[in-house]
Amino acid sequence: MSTVDEPLYPIAVLIDELKNDDIQLRLNSIRRLSTIARALGEERTRKELIPFLSENNDDDDEVLLAMAEELGVFIPYVGGVEHAHVLLPPLETLCTVEETCVRDKAVESLCRIGSQMRESDLVDWFIPLVKRLAAGEWFTARVSACGLFHIAYPSAPDMFKTELRSIYSQLCQDDMPMVRRAAATNLGKFAATVEAAHLKTDIMSMFEDLTQDDQDSVRLLAVESCAALGKLLEPQDCVAHILPVIVSFSQDKSWRVRYMVANQLYELCEAVGPEPTRTDLVPAYVRLLRDNEAEVRIAAAGKVTKFCRILSPELAIQHILPCVKELSSDSSQHVRSALASVIMGMAPVLGKDATIEQLLPIFLSLLKDEFPDVRLNIISKLDQVNQVIGIDLLSQSLLPAIVELAEDRHWRVRLAIIEYIPLLASQLGVGFFDDKLGALCMQWLEDKVHSIRDAAANNLKRLAEEFGPEWSIQHIVPQVLDKITNPHYLYRMTILHAVSLLAPVMGSEITCSTLLPVIVTASKDKVPNIKFNVAKVLQSTIPIVDQSVVEKTIRPCLIDLAEDPDVDVRFFANQALQSIDHMMSS
Amino acid sequence: MIKQILGKIPRKHSKSAGDSSLSSSSSTSSKRGDGGGKRFSNAVDEVISAPFSALSTGNNPEDSFLRDKNLKVNGNSISSSYEALPSFKDTSSSEKQLLFIRKVKMCCVLFDFTDPTKNLKEKEIKRQTLLEIVEYITSANGKFTENVMQEVVKMVSVNIFREFTPQPRDNKVIDGVELDEEEPAMDPAWPHLQVVYEFLLRFVASPETDAKVAKRYIDHSFVLKLLNLFDSEDPREREYLKTILHRIYGKFMVHRPFIRKAINNIFYHFVFETDKHNGIAEFLEVLGSIINGFALPLKEEHKLFLVRTLIPLHKPKCLTMYHQQLSYCITQFVEKDSKLADIVIRGLIKYWPVTNSSKEVLFLNELEEVLEATQPPEFQRCMVPLFHQISHCLSSLHFQVAERALFLWNNDHIDSLIKQNRKIILPIIFPALERNARHHWNQVVHSLTLNVRKNLYDHDQDLFKACQIKFQDDEAKENERKEKRESTWIRLEELATKRAATTQAILVPRTGAT
């Protein structure tokens, strides 16, 4: 190639590529920034590439996003941590763009770089950057600043620390709700770096401001920092400052706020200790479990196990279990569904007796729920169920549920249950499987929906792996092969697919003796789609069987197909023949 | 489609209700209110699983005493205390005001509308009372006292400021049919709410309401809560809010900057954070008429509003819901100051949809309107990126997009702008036209392309031929260029590996690349 002789200027290549009208090409070149940097060497990367990038940020957001991401891992290319600060200017600019994704990524990259920088460099470069952004004219800069304080603060000298705290407090009272939301979101992270003395004063007053904000959306985010702050404080301070707030939040007029409380109340239990938990948090949680708003109950129900784990069994049985009983017949199926997905985790907390007496009836009623999601959630926790109630009881109540789900009219539900079959099989054992589930597995091969047939074929493969070839030759293979004569070609294709998946598991011998003849017969099918799939399947069986079988059976069959009137059949047959030749030569 | 129709019906109604004389409006509103209520209660029974409505979920300590009473006490005990007050007719004029305040206070009681059989009598009494105070406030002469204002605003606040219930996420797939057009959630309490809104509207609009005094009660916090209500799913409610906000903006000059700022904040929240809001179209409608009234030359603040708020509103994927109103606002700006065309067009290009074809058609519609008001100097400033974008649209596989882009040539103003600048534009769009002419799958696009091509050819044959030669040349070299690019990157990679291995002095000659 003549181009090899031309001199190569890495930066020029980049400049050229970034001018291209095709955004995909611009993206590709940004994704290869590290190549350019390595070709340039560290010094010229610092002096030429990075300044170029700082000025060249007028591109599509997608390209800027890629740039923000690449720069986050660029320290090695600029000469290691002592030069890391040169990466800050381009990222600082990216922190001020309009698009949220780009800003978030730039902040993430800045944090990544900042956490590796030397302390003195942080003071010289990073802290001034944070201050500049926090004083930014437009909200984008100030929002980005909020996410950087936890990196800047720890290594700042005392004077700077005071200043940073006061800047953050201003951000919490910013004129724009966007900024206050960002400050609320990051408060927990920032607080974790602040000294205990200031935590109780400065941070708590910021927190109080945010919890009284006139915008719902800000208060909502303040709730999120409750748990984080609670964990940082001494228990008595937590009881004094956080507990009243969360209890009042749990009765906020906005369901969204109550929803957030429901999601993280359990995290506060440890922070406040057992007594306040009993007197304040349990009643609050019980209220949330009985909230008027289904969304709140959904959130609360989903945390039932986590909450109970923290409580003493007596408290759980006395206060939480009655609510759980109510929720199991809640009018919203989403509440029941959320409950079903966690309820089994309560068993170890409650102990065997309470489980059998109180939890099991709830569990069984959820297993018979009219909504498939609820039943599915129970079945998907099967391993836990098994440990608690034992296989006999389980199989009695489980089987009807499975059979019903297997025939559910929504194919996604059928799909979900198929995916649990291998797990079920391993838990329940061969005997149970043969009796009850084998027929179902075959039935799915003839489902009306392609995804189900596909999943059914995969399922057979996983079963064969679980129970071994000997079992499979008896319980799977004959039933599958029977179906190859189905009058509908789509079903015959499914069978071909199943055969191709089974072949590697069954091994060379069974493949040659049982599967291969069926495939060869199928090559005489009248539908071209079957025939070119035969060609594909044959190609995939080449590595499994002996050389002699390839020559004696597979090649002649493919040669026939290669002369088929249909162009696609010829194409795939030739492709398979080529791969035989390729294997021969290697 | 259905949504649009649904949205329009009540709009017309309430507008007429707002403008027509009181007697007719109150009779229509009561009829409509009842119908709505009935419809709702059915829907609510089916969908809402929570036992109580938004009205009764409240835990706001401020008015909890009212709500608790409704929640826990049976109809009996309420009815003993909830009796209709004497009518204004039977009261001497000196006592009317006192009676009015008593009636207003009575309307602070909230009823549970999720159960249509509950407190029927009391609900009717409250509705009648509301209608009476609407009439009182409309026919009043003599300025309202501060005390009246305070009570009025308090009553309105208690009634309209509430938390919206979340959209029930139920049963979408359960029936086997997915509803692609969701019915908006209508508030079952509408029979009361509507009259309260009517009342607020008339209060704000009344010449007897002195803005200087009323601003103490219709304050920032009131306005902010009012703006938050725009997220209501109920189009009838948003229609009222729109009219009321417009009146407040007109009457309370002191609140104007605050209102604009607060709306902007809602827009930012919507564009950059949530992507979800029901009332954007209504806000834009109000803003449209505000922009219409901007004096020339435009203030810097208003131009910033265009760039920082209106243009980014093109980003969300639900643009369809408010595009018409947005487009109106944008063209207002360009018509007022044609120098803004360049900024607007660049803004459109920045937010141009990548995969959403129906959104793309909307952009092209708006672009045409903006170009219509664009003068040659601004056009020249943005035409290069613009026609790169148009060239993309021309070769879109979605025929509506390609078709809409080709229709730009039907506009004489645009056609002449293009012809004046053909030396720059034609080379940019030529490849797209050529490829369409050769093999666009859609017949209409194909023939439209041929027309445009012929038009351009007839106008300047030499230029056209030059472009054609260049295109063929480029096409022939396409593969070569691709290979060259690949080999360049491979060489760069080699160079990088070599450097990493040796970490020696630079192997590449220092460049003067610019």
Side-chain angles (χ1 to χ4, degrees):
Chain A
M1 251 186 283
S2 65
T3 51
V4 174
D5 305 328
E6 290 172 19
L8 191 61
Y9 307 117
I11 291 245
V13 172
L14 181 68
I15 293 172
D16 208 42
E17 292 281 81
L18 288 180
K19 267 192 229 144
N20 204 298
D21 187 36
D22 184 349
I23 180 171
Q24 199 52 52
L25 289 174
R26 298 204 300 278
L27 259 179
N28 288 347
S29 46
I30 287 290
R31 288 269 169 236
R32 289 151 122 175
L33 267 187
S34 62
T35 307
I36 295 187
R38 282 184 295 132
L40 277 173
E42 293 161 358
E43 194 187 343
R44 292 186 56 200
T45 298
R46 288 196 299 271
K47 291 196 172 144
E48 295 170 37
L49 180 61
I50 301 297
F52 168 75
L53 293 176
S54 306
E55 280 156 28
N56 225 282
N57 42 35
D58 193 25
D59 209 324
D60 274 12
D61 290 330
E62 219 175 325
V63 178
L64 297 184
L65 176 68
M67 195 193 289
E69 190 170 4
E70 293 298 323
L71 288 175
V73 291
F74 231 61
I75 292 182
Y77 309 118
V78 293
V81 284
E82 65 261 42
H83 295 290
H85 65 85
V86 303
L87 295 170
L88 302 186
L91 286 168
E92 182 176 349
T93 321
L94 291 173
C95 277
T96 62
V97 302
E98 223 160 41
E99 175 54 49
T100 320
C101 303
V102 178
R103 274 187 276 127
D104 288 351
K105 189 56 85 180
V107 168
E108 192 187 315
S109 289
L110 276 176
C111 288
R112 183 177 292 185
I113 293 170
S115 60
Q116 299 172 59
M117 280 169 75
R118 296 180 303 193
E119 208 155 281
S120 60
D121 287 345
L122 279 169
V123 175
D124 291 343
W125 306 95
F126 200 90
I127 294 174
L129 172 143
V130 174
K131 280 159 66 179
R132 275 195 303 276
L133 286 174
E137 178 258 346
W138 192 223
F139 78 86
T140 51
R142 305 203 295 277
V143 164
S144 298
C146 293
L148 297 170
F149 276 73
H150 67 288
I151 302 290
Y153 190 81
S155 46
D158 280 349
M159 198 185 67
F160 273 126
K161 281 188 169 166
T162 314
E163 194 183 353
L164 285 174
R165 286 196 307 274
S166 111
I167 296 176
Y168 203 90
S169 148
Q170 279 160 30
L171 291 169
C172 289
Q173 297 165 47
D174 196 278
D175 192 34
M176 291 191 74
M178 303 283 288
V179 180
R180 300 203 299 276
R181 280 194 288 273
T185 310
N186 289 290
L187 185 63
K189 261 192 283 178
F190 178 44
T193 65
V194 172
E195 301 78 0
H198 302 301
L199 197 61
K200 264 162 69 181
T201 52
D202 295 6
I203 298 287
M204 285 318 292
S205 88
M206 295 178 207
F207 175 67
E208 268 154 37
D209 283 347
L210 293 168
T211 57
Q212 282 155 27
D213 201 281
D214 56 1
Q215 297 274 341
D216 243 19
S217 51
V218 179
R219 282 187 293 131
L220 200 66
L221 293 164
V223 186
E224 275 196 292
S225 48
C226 271
L229 288 178
K231 285 176 188 162
L232 297 171
L233 291 167
E234 295 291 315
Q236 68 271 21
D237 292 328
C238 187
V239 171
H241 299 291
I242 306 278
L243 193 63
V245 179
I246 197 95
V247 168
S248 101
F249 270 151
S250 77
Q251 302 174 61
D252 196 279
K253 67 182 189 318
S254 161
W255 67 269
R256 285 175 211 275
V257 172
R258 302 200 302 279
Y259 173 90
M260 296 297 280
V261 175
N263 258 326
Q264 51 167 346
L265 199 60
Y266 74 96
E267 289 187 65
L268 264 180
C269 294
E270 275 170 56
V272 297
E275 191 48 29
T277 296
R278 193 180 62 79
T279 55
D280 293 296
L281 293 184
V282 169
Y285 185 63
V286 166
R287 265 199 307 275
L288 292 168
L289 285 169
R290 292 180 168 144
D291 199 277
N292 288 331
E293 203 51 73
E295 289 293 335
V296 178
R297 297 199 303 280
I298 293 170
K303 299 291 184 228
V304 117
T305 295
K306 283 187 171 153
F307 201 89
C308 285
R309 271 194 204 130
I310 299 165
L311 301 181
S312 65
E314 296 76 46
L315 275 180
I317 292 172
Q318 193 188 341
H319 296 286
I320 309 294
L321 204 57
C323 298
V324 169
K325 208 172 281 174
E326 284 167 34
L327 290 176
S328 71
S329 55
D330 194 280
S331 55
S332 158
Q333 82 255 31
H334 299 289
V335 174
R336 304 199 300 274
S337 177
L339 183 68
S341 64
V342 297
I343 188 174
M344 284 329 292
M346 284 181 75
V349 182
L350 300 179
K352 187 149 187 177
D353 290 348
T355 300
I356 302 272
E357 248 168 65
Q358 314 212 34
L359 204 55
L360 193 58
I362 300 174
F363 163 73
L364 291 176
S365 92
L366 289 171
L367 196 53
K368 293 191 195 95
D369 197 279
E370 57 177 322
F371 284 93
D373 282 5
V374 181
R375 284 173 276 156
L376 258 180
N377 282 348
I378 289 283
I379 290 178
S380 64
K381 294 282 153 49
L382 191 86
D383 36 351
Q384 294 176 15
V385 182
N386 199 358
Q387 286 161 15
V388 178
I389 64 172
I391 196 74
D392 287 343
L393 196 49
L394 179 69
S395 55
Q396 278 169 30
S397 38
L398 194 60
L399 194 69
I402 294 174
V403 171
E404 212 178 304
L405 285 171
E407 290 166 349
D408 196 280
R409 61 202 171 98
H410 303 297
W411 65 268
R412 284 177 205 279
V413 175
R414 300 201 293 276
L415 186 62
I417 196 78
I418 293 176
E419 272 158 14
Y420 284 114
I421 289 289
L423 175 70
L424 273 169
S426 67
Q427 293 273 322
L428 301 174
V430 175
F432 182 84
F433 184 88
D434 287 351
D435 290 348
K436 320 282 184 188
L437 297 180
L440 278 178
C441 292
M442 293 302 148
Q443 186 184 320
W444 283 317
L445 283 172
E446 289 170 324
D447 198 278
K448 282 201 183 76
V449 176
H450 172 262
S451 299
I452 299 295
R453 299 196 298 272
D454 211 45
N458 253 315
N459 173 46
L460 292 180
K461 176 187 144 211
R462 288 167 70 189
L463 286 173
E465 284 166 352
E466 175 76 32
F467 293 145
E470 270 171 36
W471 174 85
S472 312
I473 193 73
Q474 291 225 337
H475 293 93
I476 295 186
V477 175
Q479 290 87 334
V480 171
L481 294 184
D482 271 356
K483 295 185 194 289
I484 194 74
T485 53
N486 191 304
H488 199 303
Y489 85 97
L490 285 175
Y491 297 126
R492 298 202 294 278
M493 282 220 314
T494 305
I495 302 305
L496 265 183
H497 180 54
V499 168
S500 76
L501 289 173
L502 284 170
V505 186
M506 305 304 287
S508 162
E509 204 176 311
I510 298 176
T511 301
C512 295
S513 63
T514 321
L515 303 181
L516 205 50
V518 178
I519 304 174
V520 171
T521 318
S523 75
K524 305 281 185 287
D525 204 286
K526 55 186 182 305
V527 179
N529 298 46
I530 297 287
K531 287 189 280 188
F532 72 66
N533 273 293
V534 167
K536 285 194 211 168
V537 174
L538 285 176
Q539 185 175 1
S540 73
T541 43
I542 296 169
I544 302 167
V545 299
D546 276 351
Q547 191 71 48
S548 60
V549 181
V550 172
E551 290 304 328
K552 217 173 79 200
T553 319
I554 295 182
R555 191 190 284 275
C557 182
L558 284 171
I559 288 174
D560 280 353
L561 288 173
E563 281 157 20
D564 197 88
D566 187 274
V567 58
D568 294 319
V569 177
R570 292 200 301 275
F571 173 82
F572 286 106
N574 279 318
Q575 207 175 44
L577 283 170
Q578 269 170 22
S579 84
I580 295 182
D581 294 341
H582 188 73
M583 226 180 55
M584 299 275 280
S585 64
S586 66
Chain B
M1 259 337 233
I2 294 172
K3 203 171 226 165
Q4 281 177 348
I5 294 166
L6 276 177
K8 276 190 183 132
I9 297 168
R11 269 173 213 221
K12 288 243 170 72
H13 266 286
S14 56
K15 202 169 261 168
S16 68
D19 296 337
S20 63
S21 75
L22 174 67
S23 57
S24 72
S25 93
S26 53
S27 68
T28 52
S29 64
S30 66
K31 259 179 225 154
R32 201 146 36 83
D34 286 344
K38 230 172 260 163
R39 219 175 104 208
F40 268 136
S41 33
N42 293 339
V44 163
D45 284 345
E46 280 166 26
V47 222
I48 295 187
S49 45
F52 304 112
S53 79
L55 290 175
S56 48
T57 48
N59 295 301
N60 194 354
E62 192 185 319
D63 43 43
S64 61
F65 70 101
L66 295 166
R67 291 184 168 151
D68 285 346
K69 201 158 97 188
N70 284 300
L71 275 179
K72 282 159 195 158
V73 179
N74 287 338
N76 297 338
S77 52
I78 284 187
S79 66
S80 63
S81 61
Y82 207 80
E83 294 283 352
L85 293 168
S87 86
F88 285 112
K89 278 200 300 275
D90 309 329
T91 316
S92 69
S93 53
S94 59
E95 281 172 22
K96 270 187 182 158
Q97 193 187 327
L98 210 63
L99 179 64
F100 173 71
I101 288 180
R102 283 177 65 203
K103 283 181 192 267
V104 168
K105 280 189 171 156
M106 212 174 119
C107 293
C108 288
V109 178
L110 300 179
F111 294 96
D112 176 9
F113 272 83
T114 49
D115 182 354
T117 60
K118 228 160 100 185
N119 298 333
L120 280 179
K121 186 167 145 261
E122 290 79 11
K123 283 178 188 166
E124 181 54 23
I125 291 174
K126 176 171 171 184
R127 204 179 60 80
Q128 281 305 334
T129 310
L130 281 167
L131 290 173
E132 284 171 42
I133 59 174
V134 169
E135 186 165 342
Y136 177 87
I137 215 158
T138 317
S139 57
N141 44 10
K143 298 280 178 213
F144 297 126
T145 64
E146 199 161 342
N147 186 24
V148 165
M149 289 182 185
Q150 188 176 5
E151 292 302 330
V152 161
V153 173
K154 198 168 120 197
M155 185 279 280
V156 169
S157 304
V158 166
N159 275 281
I160 65 173
F161 296 147
R162 62 214 194 279
E163 255 319 290
F164 295 119
T165 44
Q167 269 274 48
R169 36 163 135 163
D170 292 25
N171 314 0
K172 261 186 213 154
V173 203
I174 292 303
D175 300 38
V177 202
E178 281 181 58
L179 303 167
D180 47 353
E181 284 287 348
E182 288 165 48
E183 284 274 324
M186 306 285 208
D187 198 312
W190 187 244
H192 285 176
L193 274 177
Q194 184 191 7
V195 196
V196 176
Y197 274 119
E198 187 66 41
F199 177 72
L200 174 61
L201 174 61
R202 280 157 196 275
F203 173 71
V204 173
S206 168
E208 310 303 341
T209 304
D210 182 358
K212 284 201 193 70
V213 184
K215 73 174 186 214
R216 273 173 235 161
Y217 304 100
I218 304 213
D219 56 0
H220 284 187
S221 145
F222 182 88
V223 169
L224 206 58
K225 286 182 192 153
L226 197 73
L227 294 178
N228 283 338
L229 288 175
F230 274 73
D231 201 14
S232 166
E233 293 242 344
D234 193 332
R236 302 169 301 184
E237 178 167 19
R238 295 201 304 270
E239 186 62 26
Y240 262 113
L241 286 164
K242 186 185 79 189
T243 320
I244 290 166
L245 176 64
H246 203 175
R247 292 296 171 93
I248 292 181
Y249 190 87
K251 186 158 191 160
F252 296 83
M253 310 272 264
V254 280
H255 290 337
R256 285 184 181 184
F258 177 78
I259 293 176
R260 288 200 303 269
K261 204 169 71 182
I263 296 181
N264 284 354
N265 283 337
I266 293 175
F267 283 165
Y268 299 138
H269 190 36
F270 164 66
V271 171
F272 298 111
E273 291 177 352
T274 61
D275 240 17
K276 256 180 113 99
H277 197 287
N278 294 310
I280 303 296
E282 282 80 5
F283 280 133
L284 287 169
E285 238 173 284
V286 175
L287 288 169
S289 78
I290 294 176
I291 296 166
N292 194 287
F294 281 164
L296 289 174
L298 288 171
K299 282 192 204 161
E300 204 50 37
E301 180 206 342
H302 299 324
K303 288 187 196 166
L304 268 182
F305 163 68
L306 169 72
V307 174
R308 287 182 164 173
T309 313
L310 288 184
I311 292 179
L313 274 171
H314 287 88
K315 190 178 97 152
K317 55 176 176 290
C318 55
L319 175 74
T320 335
M321 288 167 64
Y322 57 84
H323 180 260
Q324 193 193 340
Q325 291 81 356
L326 176 61
S327 180
Y328 175 79
C329 291
I330 298 269
T331 39
Q332 284 286 305
F333 266 107
V334 182
E335 278 167 16
K336 277 185 180 275
D337 183 354
S338 66
K339 288 203 181 59
L340 294 169
D342 171 36
I343 296 174
V344 167
I345 291 172
R346 281 173 190 278
L348 286 176
I349 296 171
K350 177 169 159 64
Y351 290 107
W352 205 275
V354 180
T355 54
N356 188 339
S357 307
S358 56
K359 218 174 130 181
E360 226 175 332
V361 174
L362 294 179
F363 269 60
L364 284 162
N365 288 338
E366 186 176 343
L367 179 65
E368 176 161 357
E369 285 191 45
V370 173
L371 281 174
E372 180 79 31
T374 304
Q375 299 306 312
E378 285 76 31
F379 181 78
Q380 277 154 11
R381 236 174 279 155
C382 63
M383 65 189 172
V384 173
L386 174 62
F387 279 85
H388 275 295
Q389 184 55 59
I390 289 179
S391 148
H392 272 295
C393 299
L394 288 172
S395 45
S396 171
L397 280 181
H398 197 295
F399 76 96
Q400 282 172 337
V401 175
E403 201 177 77
R404 187 63 192 81
L406 286 159
F407 282 152
L408 290 175
W409 270 268
N410 291 355
N411 184 308
D412 292 336
H413 180 70
I414 298 175
D415 188 45
S416 97
L417 284 173
I418 294 175
K419 282 188 175 139
Q420 286 162 33
N421 298 286
R422 60 185 181 278
K423 296 235 154 35
I424 311 268
I425 294 173
L426 189 59
I428 299 175
I429 58 168
F430 192 87
L433 290 174
E434 189 66 21
R435 276 191 284 265
N436 271 5
R438 282 190 204 161
H439 47 61
H440 197 283
W441 67 272
N442 182 278
Q443 194 52 49
V444 181
V445 171
H446 185 79
S447 54
L448 281 172
T449 304
L450 291 181
N451 286 345
V452 170
R453 237 171 124 252
K454 179 156 187 325
N455 178 338
L456 291 165
Y457 176 80
D458 292 345
H459 192 74
D460 188 341
Q461 295 195 10
D462 294 340
L463 177 64
F464 193 91
K465 281 177 189 153
C467 286
Q468 197 152 31
I469 291 167
K470 172 146 193 317
F471 173 71
Q472 282 158 358
D473 207 36
D474 284 350
E475 211 177 25
K477 286 187 189 146
E478 176 61 33
N479 275 337
E480 197 184 309
R481 257 195 323 215
K482 212 172 130 196
E483 273 166 24
K484 191 171 166 203
R485 168 173 296 118
E486 276 162 18
S487 82
T488 307
W489 280 105
I490 290 170
R491 286 178 60 207
L492 269 179
E493 190 59 52
E494 282 164 4
L495 189 63
T497 324
K498 226 187 301 175
R499 280 199 64 102
T502 59
T503 59
Q504 276 175 5
I506 302 138
L507 292 173
V508 197
R510 206 179 161 87
T511 73
T514 45

